[in-house]
């Protein structure tokens, strides 16, 4: 048996470490692209159909309420709004994003027996529903658009995650497999948790906006974690992963701030309308 020929054949067929890394990253990115495209198309179909039906029904209900004359008939039509509104805002009129201001107005309309008050509430409700429809339309357009910052963020994250996991496994193997798995789970958690926390808490933490609090905090945590890895494994390539991972978090942070602009604009428009109503009522009372 010619060992030289066998060795040469193995050398030609086996990929170098760098080529393996490139192949893995390319495969992961290709898979991510297919998953993203499939998800994007299904979301587009859902939004264009279900959301449109919801907006059309809401417009029809508001039209029926506004043209109805009797108080009793108006109150009956109000019940049709219940299933079209977000019930999370039922007990909190300050929760504009969950329709709290609309629920508060509906409660007033259901308790009143005055035609004058009912007519004023109808005009206010018409404006609230108009703003809500505009907000939902803008939100629907945002959801079907390709989010560049979010996509770039995920790309950098996949590269950083694949690079550090593969290089650590190749150099330390089964001897530290448990630690490598923990590292992988930690990196996944640090990347995904900030966006989850911001979605559940879009208000402020103290005097700082939630998005401006969680992302810098997890950036510090990730940097500390990579420094710990650097000393533990004594491995310089970890610095490359830290840079890539930091870029991923920064782009995700920018994407999150961009997403919040629509919500912020909607809340400001509702609050501006409420302030104008208060000023108008004050002026009327002075004339009397």
């Amino acid at each position: 048996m010619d060992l030289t020929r066998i060795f040469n054949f193995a050398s030609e067929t086996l990929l170098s470490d760098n080529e393996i890394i490139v192949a893995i990253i390319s495969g992961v990115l290709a898979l991510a692209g297919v998953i993203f495209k499939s998800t994007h198309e299904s979301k587009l179909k859902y939004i264009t159909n279900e959301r449109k039906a919801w907006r059309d029904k809401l417009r029809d209900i508001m039209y029926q309420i506004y043209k109805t004359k009797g108080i009793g008939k108006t109150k009956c039509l109000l019940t049709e709004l219940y299933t079209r509104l977000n019930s999370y805002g039922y007990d909190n009129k300050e929760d504009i994003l969950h329709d709290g201001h609309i629920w508060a107005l509906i409660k007033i309309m259901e308790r009143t027996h005055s035609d004058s008050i009912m007519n004023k509430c109808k005009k206010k409700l018409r404006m609230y529903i108009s703003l809500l429809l505009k907000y939902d339309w803008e939100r629907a357009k945002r959801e079907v658009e390709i989010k560049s910052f979010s996509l770039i963020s995920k790309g950098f994250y996949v590269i950083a995650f694949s690079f550090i996991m593969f290089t650590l496994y190749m150099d330390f193997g089964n001897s530290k497999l448990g630690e490598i798995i923990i590292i992988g789970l930690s990196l996944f958690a640090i990347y995904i948790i900030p966006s989850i926390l911001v979605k559940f808490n879009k208000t402020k933490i103290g005097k700082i906006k939630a998005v401006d609090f969680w992302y810098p905090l997890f950036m510090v945590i990730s940097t500390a974690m990579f420094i710990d890895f650097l000393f533990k494994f004594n491995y310089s390539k970890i610095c490359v992963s830290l840079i890539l991972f930091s870029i991923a978090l920064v782009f995700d942070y920018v994407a999150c701030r961009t997403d919040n602009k629509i919500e912020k604009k909607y809340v400001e428009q509702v609050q501006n309308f409420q302030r104008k109503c208060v000023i108008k009522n004050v002026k009327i009372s002075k004339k009397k």
Side-chain angles (χ1 to χ4, degrees):
M1 183 179 291
D2 192 345
L3 295 178
T4 304
R5 290 178 62 185
I6 295 174
F7 177 77
N8 290 335
F9 176 77
S11 300
E12 292 173 358
T13 54
L14 289 178
L15 295 172
S16 66
D17 286 353
N18 292 333
E19 289 173 329
I20 292 174
I21 292 173
V22 172
I24 290 176
I25 292 175
S26 300
V28 171
L29 290 177
L31 178 61
V34 172
I35 295 173
F36 173 80
K37 183 179 179 181
S38 176
T39 305
H40 183 71
E41 289 177 350
S42 62
K43 184 183 290 187
L44 176 62
K45 183 178 180 181
Y46 168 77
I47 290 172
T48 53
N49 293 327
E50 298 297 325
R51 284 277 182 82
K52 184 178 182 300
W54 178 83
R55 288 192 296 270
D56 290 343
K57 186 62 179 178
L58 198 59
R59 287 191 191 96
D60 182 63
I61 293 172
M62 189 62 241
Y63 174 74
Q64 295 297 328
I65 290 173
Y66 199 76
K67 77 173 186 177
T68 300
K69 299 295 183 180
I71 291 179
K73 292 180 179 179
T74 301
K75 291 181 180 181
C76 290
L77 288 171
L78 288 174
T79 59
E80 294 192 33
L81 277 179
Y82 287 6
T83 56
R84 269 78 188 179
L85 299 177
N86 194 327
S87 58
Y88 288 167
Y90 182 80
D91 291 322
N92 184 6
K93 66 179 182 179
E94 303 297 329
D95 192 354
I96 294 174
L97 291 176
H98 290 149
D99 305 332
H101 59 300
I102 301 178
W103 283 113
L105 184 61
I106 288 175
K107 291 175 183 178
I108 294 173
M109 295 173 74
E110 288 180 330
R111 288 195 299 264
T112 187
H113 296 285
S114 167
D115 287 327
S116 175
I117 293 176
M118 180 63 79
N119 289 332
K120 288 180 181 179
C121 288
K122 281 184 180 181
K123 292 179 180 179
K124 197 170 184 179
L125 180 64
R126 181 179 61 178
M127 188 61 185
Y128 280 162
I129 297 299
S130 177
L131 291 172
L132 176 60
L133 290 170
K134 177 63 176 175
Y135 163 62
D136 186 75
W137 171 243
E138 293 296 329
R139 187 173 57 176
K141 288 194 297 182
R142 179 189 65 189
E143 290 177 356
V144 299
E145 290 174 351
I146 296 176
K147 301 177 183 179
S148 301
F149 289 117
S150 181
L151 192 60
I152 293 171
S153 171
K154 289 178 175 61
F156 272 104
Y157 170 73
V158 169
I159 294 172
F161 183 84
S162 302
F163 180 80
I164 190 171
M165 294 300 290
F166 179 77
T167 51
L168 286 177
Y169 180 74
M170 289 297 294
D171 287 342
F172 300 101
N174 293 328
S175 61
K176 295 188 177 181
L177 182 60
E179 293 183 41
I180 294 172
I181 292 173
I182 292 174
I183 289 173
L185 294 174
S186 301
L187 291 178
F188 176 78
I190 288 177
Y191 179 75
I192 199 71
I193 287 177
S195 60
I196 294 175
L197 291 172
V198 170
K199 286 179 181 178
F200 277 97
N201 181 17
K202 293 185 178 181
T203 55
K204 294 183 178 181
I205 299 174
K207 294 183 178 181
I208 306 174
K209 292 181 180 179
V211 66
D212 296 328
F213 176 83
W214 292 116
Y215 276 96
L217 175 62
F218 276 83
M219 182 71 75
V220 173
I221 293 173
S222 66
T223 302
M225 178 182 283
F226 274 97
I227 292 173
D228 180 61
F229 296 161
L230 185 61
F231 283 103
K232 182 179 293 184
F233 292 98
N234 192 23
Y235 198 55
S236 59
K237 288 184 179 180
I238 289 177
C239 295
V240 177
S241 295
L242 171 59
I243 294 172
L244 295 173
F245 192 79
S246 299
I247 293 173
L249 272 180
V250 168
F251 273 104
D252 195 42
Y253 169 62
V254 174
C256 191
R257 284 191 63 89
T258 303
D259 285 347
N260 287 340
K261 285 183 179 179
I262 296 175
E263 281 79 6
K264 181 181 178 182
K265 185 177 180 180
Y266 171 61
V267 171
E268 289 176 349
Q269 287 177 332
V270 172
Q271 290 174 341
N272 288 336
F273 174 70
Q274 290 173 332
R275 282 193 290 269
K276 288 178 182 178
C277 288
V278 171
I279 292 173
K280 186 177 180 180
N281 290 336
V282 170
K283 287 182 178 179
I284 291 173
S285 62
K286 285 182 178 178
K287 287 181 181 179
K288 290 180 178 179

